[in-house]
Amino acid sequence: MRVVTAAVVGALCAAAWSMSFVPIGKSLCVGTSAMGCVGLIFLWVAPISAVVWAVVVWALLRLARWRPVWPTAVLGPVVSFVLALAAGLTAVGMRLRPSENDSVLVVTITTGIGYALAAAVTGGYGGRRDGAEHRGQDG
């Protein structure tokens, strides 16, 4: 259930993150060149909004009483970025021409998988131990 919770929260925030580019781009790129707009979006807006949405994911997982929240909140975006980059490079290699809605779907799916993997990997991190691993080892 923990993996599903992290996947859903990550996917919803990733969808909101990727869909926020269109309104931000329309408002910021008025009167600028195409290269200036691309530079503005991908060098400033995307990283800043990614950090903001990562904080939102952290807050939502914290609200859902996820313990510990910080390993999943840190590892989730990293794994999601790697998966989205691999999916994007695969689409370019296959010479696909995805529409805007397809790219939102790819980002949402890869982020859901990324947060699910991060939750599975960090699921036992910082958990309580009963000390059994040290019993009988005293000299």
Side-chain angles (χ1 to χ4, degrees):
M1 187 64 181
R2 292 174 52 96
V3 172
V4 174
T5 302
V8 169
V9 168
L12 289 175
C13 288
W17 173 74
S18 62
M19 287 188 293
S20 68
F21 287 164
V22 173
I24 290 172
K26 285 183 181 177
S27 65
L28 291 178
C29 292
V30 176
T32 62
S33 67
M35 286 304 292
C37 183
V38 167
L40 179 69
I41 295 294
F42 287 110
L43 294 177
W44 289 100
V45 174
I48 291 170
S49 64
V51 169
V52 168
W53 281 105
V55 170
V56 170
V57 169
W58 177 83
L60 288 173
L61 289 176
R62 181 96 175 159
L63 188 64
R65 301 194 184 274
W66 185 279
R67 298 289 186 257
V69 72
W70 71 267
T72 304
V74 169
L75 190 61
V78 173
V79 174
S80 301
F81 175 76
V82 170
L83 291 175
L85 183 64
L89 291 175
T90 302
V92 167
M94 295 175 63
R95 294 192 168 113
L96 298 176
R97 305 255 184 220
S99 69
E100 181 180 322
N101 294 334
D102 293 340
S103 61
V104 171
L105 186 64
V106 167
V107 168
T108 303
I109 290 171
T110 56
T111 304
I113 293 169
Y115 272 95
L117 288 173
V121 168
T122 62
Y125 182 81
R128 291 186 214 174
R129 295 191 173 105
D130 62 353
E133 66 271 5
H134 297 292
R135 288 191 191 138
Q137 296 179 3
D138 294 351

